[in-house]
Amino acid sequence: MKSSKIGRNDPCPCGSGKKYKHCCLALDGLISPAESPFDRYNRLVTTLKMKIEQNYAGQIRKVRKSARENFLRLCTSPILNQDQEPLFSDWLWFDMPDIQGLTMGREYLQENGASLEPPLRECLEALNSSYLGLYETHGMESGCLKVVDYLSGQEELVLLKEPLDIEMGDKLPLLLGRLLALPLGRIFSGSVLMLRNDAGQGEFIRMHMDYWRRINGWKDIKTGLKKGEVLFGLFDRALHKTELALNDIRTVRDPHQLAQIREGLSDSATWLQSHRTQGVSWYDLSSEKGQARMGVGSDFAAVYADRLADILLTEKLWSDIVPLESWEIVNNQLLFQAPHPQLEHIWYTVIKERETERWLHTNHRELSDRTPAEILDKANGRGQLLAMLDEFAVQAACNASSLDLVEYMRARISQGQDH
């Protein structure tokens, strides 16, 4: 729609609620030829974001707290830093769908796209098509920053306000940002975070993203990059050099494959039996290999691990016996969903074992700051722990799940086996 058809005092057709003369009139026709492509696009993108924030102010107030929690759910801290706020806002506007499956950016384009001036519409379409990405910097070229998408290998030239002075060195730094594809070039939307890649930080992110792609069954990682909170959380973990507890639980239920697993465990030097409790035999991965556990019951085998390195190792160890596609995922931190109802009993069995292991190897004030595992080695240690569990049972009398866990703990320490 041409601006000549809109009165200066008419409401602006972009939906901001302002008069046209105080809003998009300034964008009518061509922007000054003297303005650089970067300045032009930066101003247009900023204008669009202000319009979207104003248009959805009430909705944003309602969802901002829960959205922030979702955005940070894989991070080391529940608090956003000031330089992270623009990345969160872009995710809130252009990635997070409502109950109809539309983001604020796409809804705004549907409702107001026909009335937006072409430069604004181009920028809004680019924002809606963008995603948070990880880029390796390769210095300046033709006045632009040369980057390579760290996950796909695609090269890009990025428009900048001014040349960027980055010390390359042997390890190329990584950038986390949202890259917009526009007619005159590409620009980053808002802030960009930098990460030194001097201790395998990039490989940590790449391996976790590939693993995430695989467990979701995606052929291309870009399928999942609209969930920018995953990449953001992994970036934060790499920045702080902190492992992500994946809580990966896999299971096999096919009788023939269960027989193969039992046979493989019978004379294994890699998996060492720890105990048998309530009909499930538990095995530990030998300490020099890693940290993972396996439980084998009458109708299932389940293996669990937290670190990605241990998960990949267990996949490798069992791939010759049971194909990877035969393992069902019971639970995983990156899937953000509850276990399937048919697998809940397996999940609960694993949780009881994990909680019992944690209890056994945690210092308790009631035990003079010693662990239950240490007390078991003392004279009458088992009796002392059973008395402690009796007190737990009284406290948990109204909670069936807690009582069930106490009974499992009691069964564990009543066997007289090593823990």
Side-chain angles (χ1 to χ4, degrees):
M1 182 180 294
K2 298 293 185 181
S3 61
S4 58
K5 297 181 180 180
I6 306 171
R8 289 172 54 83
N9 291 312
D10 290 341
C12 186
C14 77
S16 67
K18 297 181 179 180
K19 292 182 178 180
Y20 183 55
K21 66 182 179 181
H22 295 312
C23 196
C24 286
L25 178 60
L27 297 171
D28 191 22
L30 295 175
I31 300 176
S32 170
E35 192 173 34
S36 72
F38 173 85
D39 288 335
R40 177 187 308 184
Y41 287 141
N42 187 58
R43 183 153 61 86
L44 290 170
V45 167
T46 300
T47 299
L48 270 172
K49 291 180 181 180
M50 290 177 62
K51 289 178 178 296
I52 290 175
E53 186 166 29
Q54 291 170 355
N55 193 70
Y56 296 100
Q59 180 179 335
I60 290 172
R61 280 195 298 271
K62 292 178 181 178
V63 303
R64 182 177 291 274
K65 182 179 178 181
S66 60
R68 189 186 300 262
E69 291 173 353
N70 286 336
F71 188 65
L72 296 172
R73 54 187 166 184
L74 297 181
C75 293
T76 56
S77 169
I79 300 173
L80 269 175
N81 295 329
Q82 186 173 359
D83 59 346
Q84 298 170 337
E85 284 282 357
L87 294 178
F88 165 67
S89 294
D90 278 0
W91 176 84
L92 176 63
W93 297 329
F94 305 111
D95 286 356
M96 196 184 80
D98 60 16
I99 57 176
Q100 281 79 37
L102 280 178
T103 64
M104 296 178 196
R106 292 195 178 279
E107 182 177 304
Y108 192 84
L109 180 62
Q110 282 188 8
E111 295 177 353
N112 304 289
S115 301
L116 284 175
E117 293 295 325
L120 278 174
R121 188 167 58 250
E122 288 175 347
C123 287
L124 182 54
E125 289 170 346
L127 281 163
N128 284 332
S129 300
S130 66
Y131 54 85
L132 195 62
L134 185 68
Y135 301 93
E136 189 174 63
T137 55
H138 286 252
M140 300 298 297
E141 181 178 309
S142 303
C144 297
L145 178 66
K146 183 179 180 181
V147 300
V148 174
D149 188 314
Y150 199 76
L151 302 176
S152 71
Q154 183 174 338
E155 291 187 2
E156 304 284 2
L157 292 177
V158 184
L159 299 171
L160 297 177
K161 176 73 173 177
E162 55 190 22
L164 191 61
D165 183 18
I166 298 180
E167 183 180 345
M168 294 290 112
D170 295 332
K171 304 295 184 181
L172 300 175
L174 300 175
L175 302 178
L176 182 74
R178 194 181 193 94
L179 202 55
L180 311 184
L182 292 158
L184 297 180
R186 286 164 166 73
I187 68 167
F188 279 115
S189 169
S191 73
V192 176
L193 303 183
M194 185 177 292
L195 172 67
R196 293 178 63 87
N197 190 18
D198 56 357
Q201 293 95 327
E203 190 61 19
F204 169 87
I205 296 174
R206 193 206 308 270
M207 289 180 65
H208 279 78
M209 290 295 286
D210 182 65
Y211 165 75
W212 181 46
R213 174 196 61 78
R214 186 157 52 84
I215 63 175
N216 278 283
W218 296 323
K219 293 182 179 180
D220 187 344
I221 189 59
K222 287 186 178 181
T223 307
L225 284 176
K226 276 295 182 180
K227 289 183 174 293
E229 69 273 23
V230 173
L231 180 57
F232 182 81
L234 292 173
F235 183 92
D236 177 76
R237 293 277 170 174
L239 182 66
H240 293 94
K241 299 180 181 178
T242 304
E243 288 279 356
L244 176 65
L246 291 166
N247 192 18
D248 185 283
I249 304 175
R250 311 281 180 97
T251 188
V252 167
R253 297 185 291 167
D254 178 78
H256 175 67
Q257 292 174 333
L258 278 174
Q260 291 178 307
I261 288 174
R262 291 190 182 98
E263 183 179 351
L265 289 169
S266 62
D267 58 354
S268 174
T270 302
W271 294 93
L272 309 177
Q273 185 165 7
S274 170
H275 65 92
R276 180 176 175 83
T277 301
Q278 293 186 348
V280 178
S281 297
W282 290 95
Y283 299 80
D284 292 319
L285 192 61
S286 56
S287 57
E288 68 273 12
K289 292 286 188 179
Q291 296 180 348
R293 306 199 86 214
M294 173 173 278
V296 181
S298 60
D299 58 352
F300 75 90
V303 61
Y304 70 83
D306 277 334
R307 296 172 60 249
L308 180 58
D310 294 326
I311 296 168
L312 298 178
L313 175 61
T314 57
E315 288 182 345
K316 181 179 179 181
L317 290 172
W318 288 106
S319 60
D320 291 337
I321 300 174
V322 179
L324 290 182
E325 57 269 21
S326 298
W327 291 89
E328 300 173 88
I329 297 179
V330 179
N331 187 78
N332 189 280
Q333 173 78 342
L334 295 181
L335 294 180
F336 308 115
Q337 62 188 27
H340 190 280
Q342 292 182 357
L343 304 177
E344 281 184 351
H345 70 289
I346 299 174
W347 173 83
Y348 187 48
T349 298
V350 172
I351 292 302
K352 287 192 294 185
E353 174 64 14
R354 293 191 72 161
E355 289 301 311
T356 300
E357 279 291 299
R358 185 178 292 113
W359 173 73
L360 281 167
H361 297 94
T362 298
N363 295 329
H364 294 270
R365 185 175 56 184
E366 301 91 333
L367 302 175
S368 301
D369 287 327
R370 287 178 292 179
T371 69
E374 292 172 332
I375 296 298
L376 278 175
D377 294 331
K378 305 292 183 181
N380 196 35
R382 186 167 288 102
Q384 185 178 352
L385 292 179
L386 289 173
M388 183 179 183
L389 291 174
D390 286 341
E391 294 181 9
F392 288 174
V394 171
Q395 296 169 8
C398 298
N399 189 309
S401 296
S402 296
L403 278 174
D404 195 24
L405 175 59
V406 171
E407 286 306 310
Y408 186 85
M409 292 175 171
R410 189 191 303 276
R412 274 287 308 264
I413 67 172
S414 294
Q415 303 171 70
Q417 298 185 8
D418 291 337
H419 299 274

